[in-house]
Structure formats: C-alpha cells, structure tokens
C-alpha cells in the first residue's frame, strides 16, 4: 500500500499565532497534494534558539529569549491536534518536564485523536545544553501509516542513533531540524554551503545505512543570528531523494510504498541482517580505551 508523505521547509518564530496560521496553511497545502503524513521542523511551535556556540547563547536560567516551554498534554499541542484532524503530523517544540523547570528540545507524532509517540533530543551541538537537557534515548512506535522513529537535527550526524531506531523496527525515520548555514566562510549560494552539503549527505547516508524511508524537515529563512538552509526532503531506502524543497520554503511531497520497497531493497543485501555486532564493541562500550582516548582529546 502506498502513502503520500510531506516534509516541510518553513520559518517559525516566537509568535505562536503566526506559527499556528502557518501550520494550518501548510497542512491544507499538503492535504491538497494527498499527504497523509506531514513532518514539520524542529521548534515549529515557538521557534528555535536565536544563536549557537559563542554567538550569544542564552543560559538555562534566562527565559526571555528562549522558546515557550510547553507540556505534552498542554493546550498548544491540543491545538495542533485540532489542525491535524486525520493527518498524521510530526512537529517540534520546547517541552517542559513535569518538574516545571527542565526543558527539552522535543518532537511529537500525533493526529486529531491521539499522540502516537514523542522524543527528546539526545545529541546537543554548540552550547545547546545551556538551554535544554538531553533526552534519554531512542524508540520507534506504531502509527496507522507504519512504524515511525524520530530524531532532531544534530542526531543525524550519529549513525548509532538511526541504527537504534531501525533495529526497533522503524520503517520511516522523521528527522526534524533547525539546521543553519556555516557561521564562517559561508558560501554565497547557500545550496553550495558546506553545512548544507553535510545536512543533505547525512540524510541520504542514514536512509541507505538502515534501508529506511527518511523524511527530513528543516527551518528556512533566518531567526536571530541563524540562517537556515531549508532542503526538506523525502529519501527512499536506497538513498535516493524522491522530493526536495532545496533552499526554498514549502513542501517536499512524495508517494512511498513501504512494504513493496522493503521487499525489493532488503531481498538481497539487508544491512540489518548482515550486521556483525560482535565486531563493534568499542562503538557501544563507554569505558573502552578508544572512548577514553576520545574524551581526553576533547578536553585537551
């Protein structure tokens, strides 16, 4: 059975009403093209951080410039559910923990009737830990459209993260981002920028590594000191880009046949089946000599 999926490239800010209006419009556009699953970017509800690294990070205790903190069972998520209706939606937001203080860079998969799964970002780049706590790990979950796993932005740079989701049965991985252009020596044409190149390479590599469908959303435009690279896309398990927005805002829409594609792709070389976990010890052993050496280098 084929389904139609859409990846969003769009600009989201601190103005929640503006964000909801944009979500509604994009959902209408996606449904007009037959989309049953729509993936919005990281931090679509309330926007991302205004800067990263040594370019003016906010500290955890300064809330003025941070995104609004939202509970998973709060009215903001329910409003997205109302807009979603029968469409399965994945969207990013800043989640407030039950302790009322800790914030997570989070994503949720839902429709108008239920929440299917949520995720808190594990890997944090360039000082993001000053604003968010790290999530505990990865798991896939079932939806009416297949088994889905979630990642956020920098997670895609870590092969282990996508592999864990694939081993948990994920057929579709949705990777939400607020991925910017390089901060130094930025290319005149952002499509040629080195960070754009890495964003696109990670998407195709992770899809092919794990022979899964990969849906990558991203912010576009600018926010604070960040200039986003768009390039929302749908990638098949062979690493082929089925649809992309390139730098522009809009939707990358593609029809995918999960069962049929898996039967073809995994009928010969099946990467998950042919793994050799016995040979990968240093990858997962936190106290291995190799891991200790990397930590020493990082703090040198």
């Amino acid at each position: 059975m084929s389904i139609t999926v859409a990846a969003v490239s769009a600009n989201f800010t601190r103005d929640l009403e503006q964000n909801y209006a944009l979500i509604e419009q994009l959902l209408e556009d996606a449904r007009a093209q037959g989309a049953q699953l729509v993936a919005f970017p990281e931090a679509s509800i309330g926007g991302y951080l205004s800067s990263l690294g040594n370019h003016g990070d906010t500290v955890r205790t300064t809330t003025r410039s941070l995104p609004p903190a939202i509970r998973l069972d709060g009215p903001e998520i329910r409003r997205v559910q109302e807009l979603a209706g029968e469409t399965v939606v994945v969207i990013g937001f800043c989640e407030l923990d039950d302790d009322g203080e800790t914030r997570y860079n989070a994503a949720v998969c839902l429709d108008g009737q239920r929440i299917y799964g949520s995720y808190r970002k594990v890997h944090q780049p360039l000082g993001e830990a000053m604003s968010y706590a790290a999530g505990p790990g990865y798991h896939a979950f079932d939806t009416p459209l297949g088994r889905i796993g979630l990642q956020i932005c920098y997670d895609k740079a870590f092969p282990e993260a996508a592999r864990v989701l694939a081993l948990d049965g994920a057929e579709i991985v949705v990777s939400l981002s607020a991925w910017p252009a390089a901060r130094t020596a930025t290319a005149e044409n952002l499509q040629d920028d080195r960070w754009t190149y890495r964003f696109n390479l990670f998407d195709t590599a992770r899809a092919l590594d794990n022979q899964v469908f990969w849906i990558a959303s991203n912010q576009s435009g600018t926010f604070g000191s960040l200039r986003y690279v768009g390039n929302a896309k749908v990638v098949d398990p062979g690493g082929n880009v089925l649809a992309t927005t390139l730098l522009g805002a809009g939707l990358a829409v593609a029809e995918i046949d999960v069962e049929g594609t898996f039967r073809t792709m995994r009928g010969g070389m099946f990467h998950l089946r042919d793994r050799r976990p016995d040979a990968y010890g240093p990858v997962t052993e936190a106290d291995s000599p190799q891991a200790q050496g990397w930590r020493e280098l990082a703090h040198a």
Side-chain angles (χ1 to χ4, degrees):
M1 179 188 74
S2 295
I3 61 172
T4 300
V5 300
V8 171
S9 171
N11 184 255
F12 294 90
T13 68
R14 295 285 184 268
D15 188 331
L16 291 185
E17 290 305 317
Q18 184 180 68
N19 293 167
Y20 291 129
L22 183 54
I23 291 166
E24 183 175 22
Q25 182 60 61
L26 287 164
L27 281 171
E28 289 179 4
D29 294 346
R31 283 192 279 253
Q33 298 180 63
Q36 299 150 275
L37 168 63
V38 181
F40 286 87
E42 173 184 10
S44 290
I45 307 175
Y48 184 55
L49 304 177
S50 59
S51 59
L52 286 171
N54 60 358
H55 287 239
D57 277 308
T58 53
V59 296
R60 192 186 298 270
T61 55
T62 301
T63 60
R64 183 177 57 184
S65 59
L66 292 177
I70 294 169
R71 294 186 184 275
L72 196 58
D73 60 355
E76 299 88 353
I77 299 299
R78 285 198 294 273
R79 186 162 176 183
V80 175
Q81 288 188 278
E82 292 170 2
L83 296 173
E86 296 181 359
T87 307
V88 176
V89 168
V90 177
I91 195 164
F93 67 106
C94 173
E95 183 181 1
L96 183 65
D97 193 58
D98 290 340
D99 64 11
E101 296 182 3
T102 307
R103 295 165 176 256
Y104 295 93
N105 190 341
V108 62
C109 179
L110 52 79
D111 62 18
Q113 298 301 314
R114 61 175 292 186
I115 290 175
Y116 295 100
S118 63
Y119 165 68
R120 293 170 168 177
K121 185 177 180 180
V122 171
H123 296 99
Q124 298 177 304
L126 299 173
E128 191 180 88
M130 298 176 70
S131 303
Y132 298 110
Y138 301 91
H139 68 278
F141 47 86
D142 293 320
T143 77
L145 303 179
R147 191 161 174 82
I148 292 176
L150 303 180
Q151 292 194 348
I152 297 177
C153 208
Y154 191 41
D155 286 326
K156 71 176 69 186
F158 299 86
E160 301 89 344
R163 180 53 52 90
V164 168
L165 289 172
L167 290 173
D168 197 26
E171 300 164 314
I172 299 169
V173 174
V174 179
S175 175
L176 308 82
S177 292
W179 191 286
R183 296 178 301 172
T184 59
T186 304
E188 183 175 346
N189 179 357
L190 284 190
Q191 196 60 40
D192 299 326
D193 189 79
R194 67 183 187 277
W195 280 25
T196 307
Y197 170 80
R198 294 170 188 175
F199 179 83
N200 290 329
L201 181 60
F202 286 141
D203 287 337
T204 55
R206 297 294 88 85
L208 179 57
D209 285 346
N210 299 288
Q211 295 172 300
V212 295
F213 283 96
W214 189 272
I215 303 175
S217 57
N218 195 21
Q219 297 246 11
S220 63
T222 61
F223 184 71
S225 67
L226 303 178
R227 186 179 181 189
Y228 300 120
V229 302
N231 279 268
K233 67 180 71 64
V234 180
V235 187
D236 76 7
N240 303 295
V241 177
L242 304 180
T244 178
T245 64
L246 296 177
L247 293 174
L251 298 166
V253 180
E255 185 177 332
I256 64 174
D257 178 359
V258 174
E259 182 180 354
T261 303
F262 278 15
R263 188 166 54 247
T264 301
M265 283 293 305
R266 297 176 170 185
M269 289 187 293
F270 181 14
H271 302 164
L272 300 185
R273 179 198 62 206
D274 297 338
R275 293 178 310 118
R276 284 286 309 280
D278 57 298
Y280 309 150
V283 173
T284 56
E285 293 173 4
D287 296 324
S288 69
Q290 294 93 332
Q292 181 61 35
W294 296 331
R295 283 194 292 270
E296 291 172 356
L297 282 173
H299 292 93

